[in-house]
Amino acid sequence: MAVRRTRTRPGRPAYAVAAALAAAALLAASPQVAAGEPPPPAPAPPAAQAPAAAAAPAFGAYLDYGPRGVARMAELSHWLGGAELSVGHTYLPGDRWSNIAGAPGFLDVWADWRTREADRMLVLNVPMMERNEEGLDDDEVRALLRQGAAGRFDHHYRALAERLVELGVPDTVLVLGWEMNGTTYSHRCGPDPEAWKTYWNRIVTTMRAVPGQKFRFDFTPSRGRDAIPWTECYPGDATVDIIGMDSYDQPRGMPFDEQVTEPYGLQAHVDFAKAHGKPISYPEWGLFRNGDNAEYMRRMLAWMDEHKPVYNTLTDYCPHGVWQCDDNPRSTAVYRSVLFGRTDEPAPEVPEPTTPTVPPVPTVPEPAAGCSPLNLGDWVEYWLGGKLCVRLDWYSRHK
């Protein structure tokens, strides 16, 4: 913010004050005194204040599920010249319900990392189904989605919410049922979109009912159409806080401009979120089918700087990553050069150079004709508003 500068009159030394008092007494005793009044100096306008710089988007990286991921946060920050990694990202295992509910020991280290600094953010991917990566067929997924929509699995999510509140991380960002528009996960939307949306809403309602919670729920499809347009899975504004997108550099041969303009791509994501009054995020992004693509890295970082997501977290392992993967040296150089030393604080504004204000030399009116001026000094005359003079004919007029 620019420093406000105001112009002040110089202070009066003690001798000038004494002289002014003496001159005032003489003025009261003299029968005819002519004194002019200069116009008061115009007040200096306040300097324009520069608007505060926008904060850089909060960022981090997925580095590992558990304690190793936490430890690597500090190492990655050091590699980036002390850049502030304010976002920690991990995933609940989707193998069995006991883990989805937050088994003791798994989340403790992440909760400890989050609570060490007030401005940190914990992002937690939450499966909507156990056996989440076991390749269940559509019929079984459809049946499970309908059971979830009817409330069969509510207690698991109530337990998770209570666990997070107990650990002191009630403001965790929950990426629930991510990449639901694809085919990878059992919590996919395609087999029954209506049941999927109802199930999402039950989970959110159940977790929000736990005392002390401040969760934010992030609806995050993968970029593009995939198996089903992700807009068909959107569960509604009442239960979505953030609209995210997982956006890797794929498919092979697709330039970044096409990733922006493709149906259900990056621009569609930004436009959809704006239409629904929601902020955006990029929980997963990174290199993929096009190898060490420095152009993708540069453009994706610029895209996020432009559109200001709530957060972004790079997937940092091969083939996607840059710090833990030696396969992408050119992209690594881009990533490091852009984010080196970055924090999420606004950049300090450098005030424009200003010319020092010099107080004007006081102008003293000329004495009236027929007056004999008294020489009291410039500053006394300035504070009196002009010269004092005694008319030459005062004696004859009063004789």
PDB file of all heavy atoms in Angstrom, residues 152-169:
ATOM      1  N   ARG A 152     -27.595 -46.572   3.881  1.00  0.00           N
ATOM      2  CA  ARG A 152     -26.949 -47.729   4.481  1.00  0.00           C
ATOM      3  C   ARG A 152     -25.562 -47.418   5.029  1.00  0.00           C
ATOM      4  O   ARG A 152     -25.128 -48.025   6.027  1.00  0.00           O
ATOM      5  CB  ARG A 152     -26.859 -48.861   3.449  1.00  0.00           C
ATOM      6  CG  ARG A 152     -26.171 -50.097   4.001  1.00  0.00           C
ATOM      7  CD  ARG A 152     -26.074 -51.214   2.976  1.00  0.00           C
ATOM      8  NE  ARG A 152     -25.299 -52.339   3.495  1.00  0.00           N
ATOM      9  CZ  ARG A 152     -24.971 -53.408   2.774  1.00  0.00           C
ATOM     10  NH1 ARG A 152     -25.352 -53.513   1.505  1.00  0.00           N
ATOM     11  NH2 ARG A 152     -24.248 -54.374   3.317  1.00  0.00           N
ATOM     12  N   PHE A 153     -24.833 -46.464   4.401  1.00  0.00           N
ATOM     13  CA  PHE A 153     -23.435 -46.219   4.778  1.00  0.00           C
ATOM     14  C   PHE A 153     -23.244 -44.927   5.575  1.00  0.00           C
ATOM     15  O   PHE A 153     -22.104 -44.511   5.816  1.00  0.00           O
ATOM     16  CB  PHE A 153     -22.566 -46.183   3.517  1.00  0.00           C
ATOM     17  CG  PHE A 153     -22.768 -47.364   2.609  1.00  0.00           C
ATOM     18  CD1 PHE A 153     -23.086 -47.188   1.261  1.00  0.00           C
ATOM     19  CD2 PHE A 153     -22.658 -48.658   3.097  1.00  0.00           C
ATOM     20  CE1 PHE A 153     -23.271 -48.278   0.429  1.00  0.00           C
ATOM     21  CE2 PHE A 153     -22.844 -49.761   2.264  1.00  0.00           C
ATOM     22  CZ  PHE A 153     -23.161 -49.563   0.922  1.00  0.00           C
ATOM     23  N   ASP A 154     -24.316 -44.308   6.014  1.00  0.00           N
ATOM     24  CA  ASP A 154     -24.209 -43.016   6.710  1.00  0.00           C
ATOM     25  C   ASP A 154     -23.286 -43.078   7.923  1.00  0.00           C
ATOM     26  O   ASP A 154     -22.523 -42.136   8.183  1.00  0.00           O
ATOM     27  CB  ASP A 154     -25.592 -42.541   7.167  1.00  0.00           C
ATOM     28  CG  ASP A 154     -26.480 -42.078   6.031  1.00  0.00           C
ATOM     29  OD1 ASP A 154     -26.029 -42.132   4.863  1.00  0.00           O
ATOM     30  OD2 ASP A 154     -27.623 -41.673   6.299  1.00  0.00           O
ATOM     31  N   HIS A 155     -23.360 -44.165   8.672  1.00  0.00           N
ATOM     32  CA  HIS A 155     -22.609 -44.224   9.926  1.00  0.00           C
ATOM     33  C   HIS A 155     -21.102 -44.152   9.721  1.00  0.00           C
ATOM     34  O   HIS A 155     -20.368 -43.671  10.594  1.00  0.00           O
ATOM     35  CB  HIS A 155     -22.983 -45.487  10.721  1.00  0.00           C
ATOM     36  CG  HIS A 155     -22.699 -46.773  10.016  1.00  0.00           C
ATOM     37  ND1 HIS A 155     -23.421 -47.213   8.916  1.00  0.00           N
ATOM     38  CD2 HIS A 155     -21.742 -47.724  10.258  1.00  0.00           C
ATOM     39  CE1 HIS A 155     -22.935 -48.382   8.522  1.00  0.00           C
ATOM     40  NE2 HIS A 155     -21.918 -48.705   9.316  1.00  0.00           N
ATOM     41  N   HIS A 156     -20.618 -44.616   8.567  1.00  0.00           N
ATOM     42  CA  HIS A 156     -19.181 -44.536   8.303  1.00  0.00           C
ATOM     43  C   HIS A 156     -18.746 -43.064   8.172  1.00  0.00           C
ATOM     44  O   HIS A 156     -17.665 -42.689   8.653  1.00  0.00           O
ATOM     45  CB  HIS A 156     -18.836 -45.286   7.018  1.00  0.00           C
ATOM     46  CG  HIS A 156     -19.165 -46.749   7.060  1.00  0.00           C
ATOM     47  ND1 HIS A 156     -18.642 -47.601   7.998  1.00  0.00           N
ATOM     48  CD2 HIS A 156     -19.975 -47.509   6.255  1.00  0.00           C
ATOM     49  CE1 HIS A 156     -19.094 -48.828   7.798  1.00  0.00           C
ATOM     50  NE2 HIS A 156     -19.915 -48.798   6.737  1.00  0.00           N
ATOM     51  N   TYR A 157     -19.552 -42.257   7.551  1.00  0.00           N
ATOM     52  CA  TYR A 157     -19.196 -40.862   7.332  1.00  0.00           C
ATOM     53  C   TYR A 157     -19.414 -40.027   8.590  1.00  0.00           C
ATOM     54  O   TYR A 157     -18.684 -39.048   8.826  1.00  0.00           O
ATOM     55  CB  TYR A 157     -19.962 -40.313   6.119  1.00  0.00           C
ATOM     56  CG  TYR A 157     -19.514 -41.033   4.869  1.00  0.00           C
ATOM     57  CD1 TYR A 157     -20.227 -42.118   4.361  1.00  0.00           C
ATOM     58  CD2 TYR A 157     -18.314 -40.686   4.252  1.00  0.00           C
ATOM     59  CE1 TYR A 157     -19.775 -42.818   3.260  1.00  0.00           C
ATOM     60  CE2 TYR A 157     -17.855 -41.375   3.136  1.00  0.00           C
ATOM     61  CZ  TYR A 157     -18.578 -42.445   2.656  1.00  0.00           C
ATOM     62  OH  TYR A 157     -18.109 -43.133   1.565  1.00  0.00           O
ATOM     63  N   ARG A 158     -20.371 -40.428   9.420  1.00  0.00           N
ATOM     64  CA  ARG A 158     -20.504 -39.771  10.710  1.00  0.00           C
ATOM     65  C   ARG A 158     -19.260 -40.030  11.551  1.00  0.00           C
ATOM     66  O   ARG A 158     -18.730 -39.115  12.197  1.00  0.00           O
ATOM     67  CB  ARG A 158     -21.758 -40.282  11.433  1.00  0.00           C
ATOM     68  CG  ARG A 158     -22.061 -39.534  12.744  1.00  0.00           C
ATOM     69  CD  ARG A 158     -23.334 -40.048  13.385  1.00  0.00           C
ATOM     70  NE  ARG A 158     -24.480 -39.927  12.497  1.00  0.00           N
ATOM     71  CZ  ARG A 158     -25.101 -40.951  11.906  1.00  0.00           C
ATOM     72  NH1 ARG A 158     -24.677 -42.203  12.114  1.00  0.00           N
ATOM     73  NH2 ARG A 158     -26.134 -40.757  11.118  1.00  0.00           N
ATOM     74  N   ALA A 159     -18.768 -41.250  11.524  1.00  0.00           N
ATOM     75  CA  ALA A 159     -17.552 -41.583  12.279  1.00  0.00           C
ATOM     76  C   ALA A 159     -16.353 -40.799  11.752  1.00  0.00           C
ATOM     77  O   ALA A 159     -15.511 -40.330  12.539  1.00  0.00           O
ATOM     78  CB  ALA A 159     -17.292 -43.086  12.199  1.00  0.00           C
ATOM     79  N   LEU A 160     -16.253 -40.646  10.430  1.00  0.00           N
ATOM     80  CA  LEU A 160     -15.147 -39.874   9.848  1.00  0.00           C
ATOM     81  C   LEU A 160     -15.217 -38.422  10.302  1.00  0.00           C
ATOM     82  O   LEU A 160     -14.197 -37.837  10.697  1.00  0.00           O
ATOM     83  CB  LEU A 160     -15.182 -39.965   8.328  1.00  0.00           C
ATOM     84  CG  LEU A 160     -14.175 -39.069   7.587  1.00  0.00           C
ATOM     85  CD1 LEU A 160     -12.740 -39.426   7.964  1.00  0.00           C
ATOM     86  CD2 LEU A 160     -14.378 -39.171   6.072  1.00  0.00           C
ATOM     87  N   ALA A 161     -16.406 -37.836  10.239  1.00  0.00           N
ATOM     88  CA  ALA A 161     -16.548 -36.442  10.653  1.00  0.00           C
ATOM     89  C   ALA A 161     -16.163 -36.264  12.116  1.00  0.00           C
ATOM     90  O   ALA A 161     -15.462 -35.307  12.482  1.00  0.00           O
ATOM     91  CB  ALA A 161     -17.988 -35.979  10.412  1.00  0.00           C
ATOM     92  N   GLU A 162     -16.624 -37.165  12.962  1.00  0.00           N
ATOM     93  CA  GLU A 162     -16.289 -37.075  14.391  1.00  0.00           C
ATOM     94  C   GLU A 162     -14.784 -37.220  14.606  1.00  0.00           C
ATOM     95  O   GLU A 162     -14.193 -36.547  15.470  1.00  0.00           O
ATOM     96  CB  GLU A 162     -17.056 -38.150  15.162  1.00  0.00           C
ATOM     97  CG  GLU A 162     -18.559 -37.889  15.210  1.00  0.00           C
ATOM     98  CD  GLU A 162     -19.344 -39.065  15.770  1.00  0.00           C
ATOM     99  OE1 GLU A 162     -18.736 -40.164  15.916  1.00  0.00           O
ATOM    100  OE2 GLU A 162     -20.548 -38.915  16.046  1.00  0.00           O
ATOM    101  N   ARG A 163     -14.165 -38.082  13.829  1.00  0.00           N
ATOM    102  CA  ARG A 163     -12.725 -38.296  13.944  1.00  0.00           C
ATOM    103  C   ARG A 163     -11.953 -37.027  13.579  1.00  0.00           C
ATOM    104  O   ARG A 163     -11.014 -36.628  14.276  1.00  0.00           O
ATOM    105  CB  ARG A 163     -12.316 -39.450  13.029  1.00  0.00           C
ATOM    106  CG  ARG A 163     -10.827 -39.755  13.001  1.00  0.00           C
ATOM    107  CD  ARG A 163     -10.378 -40.392  14.272  1.00  0.00           C
ATOM    108  NE  ARG A 163      -8.979 -40.773  14.208  1.00  0.00           N
ATOM    109  CZ  ARG A 163      -8.125 -40.632  15.216  1.00  0.00           C
ATOM    110  NH1 ARG A 163      -8.523 -40.127  16.374  1.00  0.00           N
ATOM    111  NH2 ARG A 163      -6.878 -41.009  15.092  1.00  0.00           N
ATOM    112  N   LEU A 164     -12.333 -36.369  12.504  1.00  0.00           N
ATOM    113  CA  LEU A 164     -11.649 -35.156  12.067  1.00  0.00           C
ATOM    114  C   LEU A 164     -11.836 -34.023  13.067  1.00  0.00           C
ATOM    115  O   LEU A 164     -10.906 -33.257  13.348  1.00  0.00           O
ATOM    116  CB  LEU A 164     -12.151 -34.748  10.681  1.00  0.00           C
ATOM    117  CG  LEU A 164     -11.749 -35.686   9.533  1.00  0.00           C
ATOM    118  CD1 LEU A 164     -12.517 -35.340   8.263  1.00  0.00           C
ATOM    119  CD2 LEU A 164     -10.241 -35.630   9.273  1.00  0.00           C
ATOM    120  N   VAL A 165     -13.028 -33.893  13.619  1.00  0.00           N
ATOM    121  CA  VAL A 165     -13.262 -32.871  14.638  1.00  0.00           C
ATOM    122  C   VAL A 165     -12.425 -33.158  15.875  1.00  0.00           C
ATOM    123  O   VAL A 165     -11.800 -32.258  16.454  1.00  0.00           O
ATOM    124  CB  VAL A 165     -14.761 -32.794  14.988  1.00  0.00           C
ATOM    125  CG1 VAL A 165     -14.981 -31.887  16.206  1.00  0.00           C
ATOM    126  CG2 VAL A 165     -15.571 -32.281  13.800  1.00  0.00           C
ATOM    127  N   GLU A 166     -12.372 -34.429  16.274  1.00  0.00           N
ATOM    128  CA  GLU A 166     -11.578 -34.825  17.435  1.00  0.00           C
ATOM    129  C   GLU A 166     -10.108 -34.509  17.248  1.00  0.00           C
ATOM    130  O   GLU A 166      -9.410 -34.120  18.198  1.00  0.00           O
ATOM    131  CB  GLU A 166     -11.772 -36.324  17.676  1.00  0.00           C
ATOM    132  CG  GLU A 166     -10.938 -36.904  18.810  1.00  0.00           C
ATOM    133  CD  GLU A 166     -10.970 -38.434  18.846  1.00  0.00           C
ATOM    134  OE1 GLU A 166     -11.734 -39.031  18.074  1.00  0.00           O
ATOM    135  OE2 GLU A 166     -10.223 -39.010  19.649  1.00  0.00           O
ATOM    136  N   LEU A 167      -9.599 -34.643  16.020  1.00  0.00           N
ATOM    137  CA  LEU A 167      -8.189 -34.393  15.730  1.00  0.00           C
ATOM    138  C   LEU A 167      -7.883 -32.899  15.587  1.00  0.00           C
ATOM    139  O   LEU A 167      -6.723 -32.524  15.393  1.00  0.00           O
ATOM    140  CB  LEU A 167      -7.777 -35.123  14.451  1.00  0.00           C
ATOM    141  CG  LEU A 167      -7.655 -36.643  14.551  1.00  0.00           C
ATOM    142  CD1 LEU A 167      -7.469 -37.258  13.161  1.00  0.00           C
ATOM    143  CD2 LEU A 167      -6.498 -37.032  15.467  1.00  0.00           C
ATOM    144  N   GLY A 168      -8.887 -32.051  15.670  1.00  0.00           N
ATOM    145  CA  GLY A 168      -8.663 -30.616  15.575  1.00  0.00           C
ATOM    146  C   GLY A 168      -8.576 -30.084  14.166  1.00  0.00           C
ATOM    147  O   GLY A 168      -8.037 -28.989  13.939  1.00  0.00           O
ATOM    148  N   VAL A 169      -9.101 -30.843  13.196  1.00  0.00           N
ATOM    149  CA  VAL A 169      -9.094 -30.383  11.801  1.00  0.00           C
ATOM    150  C   VAL A 169     -10.527 -30.371  11.237  1.00  0.00           C
ATOM    151  O   VAL A 169     -10.817 -31.017  10.223  1.00  0.00           O
ATOM    152  CB  VAL A 169      -8.163 -31.244  10.928  1.00  0.00           C
ATOM    153  CG1 VAL A 169      -6.711 -30.910  11.213  1.00  0.00           C
ATOM    154  CG2 VAL A 169      -8.412 -32.743  11.144  1.00  0.00           C
TER     155      VAL A 169
END
